[in-house]
Amino acid sequence: MKKATATLMMVLAITVTSIAQQVVKKEDKVKKTTTIPQKVHNIFSKHKKYSGTKTKHIVKVEKTKS
């Protein structure tokens, strides 16, 4: 029983320290993608079909050196 408890505590400690060392960077890249005919369509249409942007969500996870 003591070995199981000690092993469980060791695994828990390793997990907590590894989570604490991660650095998460979140950024959004936005790119304009509409063409001239799409922009004209948006001006004269009631149903706006083209938003004109492409959004890419980037999440970078880096481990810090200890």
Side-chain angles (χ1 to χ4, degrees):
M1 188 68 180
K2 289 181 183 179
K3 287 183 181 180
T5 306
T7 306
L8 182 64
M9 289 178 60
M10 185 177 68
V11 169
L12 182 66
I14 291 171
T15 305
V16 168
T17 57
S18 68
I19 290 173
Q21 291 179 352
Q22 291 180 351
V23 176
V24 177
K25 294 182 180 178
K26 295 181 180 179
E27 53 183 75
D28 296 335
K29 286 189 177 179
V30 179
K31 182 179 179 182
K32 293 187 178 179
T33 59
T34 56
T35 61
I36 293 173
Q38 290 172 343
K39 289 178 185 177
V40 171
H41 177 271
N42 279 346
I43 292 171
F44 296 111
S45 175
K46 291 181 182 179
H47 306 289
K48 309 296 184 207
K49 189 172 180 182
Y50 305 105
S51 65
T53 58
K54 182 190 283 187
T55 305
K56 188 183 274 189
H57 304 286
I58 298 172
V59 177
K60 294 180 182 178
V61 177
E62 299 175 357
K63 289 194 173 186
T64 58
K65 294 181 181 180
S66 52

